[in-house]
Amino acid sequence: MNRTADTENLAGLVQIALGTAVPVTGIQRLRGGSKKGVYRVHLGGPPTSVMVYSWAQEENFWPRATDAPDPGDPFAAATGLPRLLAATHELQTAGVRSPRVLWSDDSHQHYPADVAVIEDVPAGSLETLMDTDPARAETVLHDLAASLTRLHARTTDHYGPLGHLENYGTSCEQMVLQRARGDLDEGARRDERLRAAHPLILQRLHDLHDRVRPRQKYSLIHGELGPDHVLVDTAGQSVLIDIEGLMFFDIEWEHAFLELRFHDRYTALAVDALDEDRLRLYRLAMRLSLVTGPLRLLDGDFPDRTPMQHIAEHNLQMTLALIKEPMRSP
């Protein structure tokens, strides 16, 4: 299947967005996107480049669900132009930097899918900077920590994706448990090691869930914030991308992911007063998700298969290690 947009059409979109006949000198599809096409368009500028997001169905590598996704499900596929626009507005309100949306269109008059032309932040990612310039990365990490403080300070007594805040008749921890059980069942059908450990993992999930205390206050979180989802602008500011999953949820869900992705650099982002019982449940649930999700993606024709296989295998090993940890006293 052809998963690449027509470059001539993309060039036309950029010229509409910028309101000028700025020459397009090159277009490249960036690797890694699994739910939308992400293209860098090089220009005779200024600007010298912009990004184009395309939500064409053929650029979504995830297996198509048989049922329409529930827009209120915090864990449903977080993608689409409306979610990008809502998240961009919410981040601006919170004082958190993300790429500016220069132009967007859902009429399909100019292109046969929802599209957006986005500010390019070409200085690179925090992930790259952590390898190439650790001292500068440390400065960006502190800026990111300040951004997260502003983001998480926005709270509500309902949870869910932006525009769909409810109480859902259940709690965040119950929703996470239900999702983790589904991931465990699906993963066990795909890997015999997970199948053998299924009873122990299921028991650990329920034991951890039973220790979590009720809560009625939720924070605005990114949800999947790794160093690859943080760009660095020319001023050294952190810039959040892949923001469509922005939602109000338990802050521990955010920190479980930050721990997982930032490793020893997480100390710059750590905060006090997190619920350790909630964190322990969410760590295990997140590992299960990162086993089953990549395996599901590999059912299709996702091109970067080796990294996905490594993600699934690493998180399977971490899942098995987590259930060997002794339960702390209540």
Side-chain angles (χ1 to χ4, degrees):
M1 179 185 294
N2 181 14
R3 297 278 191 174
T4 304
D6 183 279
T7 55
E8 183 176 343
N9 284 343
L10 292 182
L13 294 178
V14 170
Q15 293 181 343
I16 294 171
L18 300 181
T20 178
V22 59
V24 173
T25 60
I27 297 176
Q28 64 181 124
R29 191 187 200 281
L30 302 190
R31 297 176 61 186
S34 63
K35 298 173 185 172
K36 63 179 180 288
V38 179
Y39 298 84
R40 173 169 283 126
V41 180
H42 299 275
L43 306 169
T48 58
S49 61
V50 294
M51 305 298 293
V52 176
Y53 294 170
S54 163
W55 285 275
Q57 179 56 47
E58 60 267 20
E59 302 210 63
N60 187 341
F61 288 94
W62 290 89
R64 189 175 299 189
T66 56
D67 299 322
D70 178 0
D73 180 358
F75 299 120
T79 189
L81 177 59
R83 294 190 68 153
L84 173 72
L85 297 177
T88 299
H89 174 76
E90 198 72 33
L91 290 174
Q92 289 174 343
T93 302
V96 175
R97 177 97 158 83
S98 65
R100 291 178 295 121
V101 179
L102 305 176
W103 178 84
S104 65
D105 180 65
D106 61 1
S107 71
H108 300 183
Q109 294 180 0
H110 306 288
Y111 193 76
D114 289 1
V115 286
V117 177
I118 308 292
E119 171 195 10
D120 191 12
V121 183
S125 70
L126 177 55
E127 183 174 51
T128 299
L129 200 63
M130 286 163 58
D131 290 333
T132 61
D133 192 343
R136 185 166 172 243
E138 194 68 24
T139 300
V140 178
L141 276 167
H142 286 293
D143 180 77
L144 176 60
S147 292
L148 288 175
T149 297
R150 294 191 294 273
L151 185 72
H152 297 157
R154 295 180 64 80
T155 60
T156 179
D157 57 358
H158 293 70
Y159 68 88
L162 299 180
H164 297 278
L165 300 184
E166 300 181 26
N167 285 328
Y168 298 100
T170 187
S171 63
C172 288
E173 62 269 20
Q174 183 64 33
M175 186 170 283
V176 169
L177 175 64
Q178 291 170 353
R179 180 189 191 227
R181 290 183 55 160
D183 286 335
L184 175 59
D185 290 345
E186 183 176 349
R189 291 193 295 270
R190 297 166 182 268
D191 189 284
E192 66 178 57
R193 294 165 295 174
L194 205 57
R195 183 161 57 252
H198 186 289
L200 290 175
I201 298 172
L202 183 61
Q203 186 61 54
R204 179 59 64 97
L205 284 169
H206 280 274
D207 289 345
L208 291 172
H209 171 268
D210 291 345
R211 292 169 177 246
V212 176
R213 298 182 300 276
R215 174 184 287 165
Q216 287 81 38
K217 186 67 70 175
Y218 311 101
S219 295
L220 183 62
I221 68 170
H222 180 284
E224 292 187 342
L225 192 59
D228 56 332
H229 289 168
V230 181
L231 302 182
V232 183
D233 67 13
T234 54
Q237 284 186 297
S238 55
V239 183
L240 307 193
I241 61 170
D242 277 7
I243 59 175
E244 293 98 311
L246 211 69
M247 63 179 173
F248 283 91
F249 206 72
D250 281 335
I251 191 174
E252 287 83 4
W253 186 256
E254 185 94 288
H255 279 274
F257 198 87
L258 291 170
E259 285 179 346
L260 185 153
R261 292 290 285 110
F262 281 88
H263 307 293
D264 57 336
R265 295 297 192 108
Y266 169 71
T267 54
L269 308 175
V271 297
D272 297 327
L274 296 177
D275 181 342
E276 183 61 30
D277 289 323
R278 203 174 291 264
L279 264 176
R280 286 166 65 87
L281 171 64
Y282 290 0
R283 286 173 186 137
L284 180 53
M286 199 164 280
R287 292 292 184 180
L288 285 167
S289 174
L290 289 170
V291 176
T292 301
L295 292 178
R296 187 185 307 126
L297 187 58
L298 289 170
D299 282 346
D301 60 349
F302 185 72
D304 300 327
R305 304 186 70 78
T306 299
M308 280 295 159
Q309 290 165 346
H310 288 166
I311 290 170
E313 180 62 27
H314 172 72
N315 284 285
L316 173 58
Q317 296 302 326
M318 293 303 297
T319 296
L320 298 177
L322 281 174
I323 63 170
K324 294 177 182 177
E325 291 182 355
M327 291 283 288
R328 70 181 184 89
S329 300

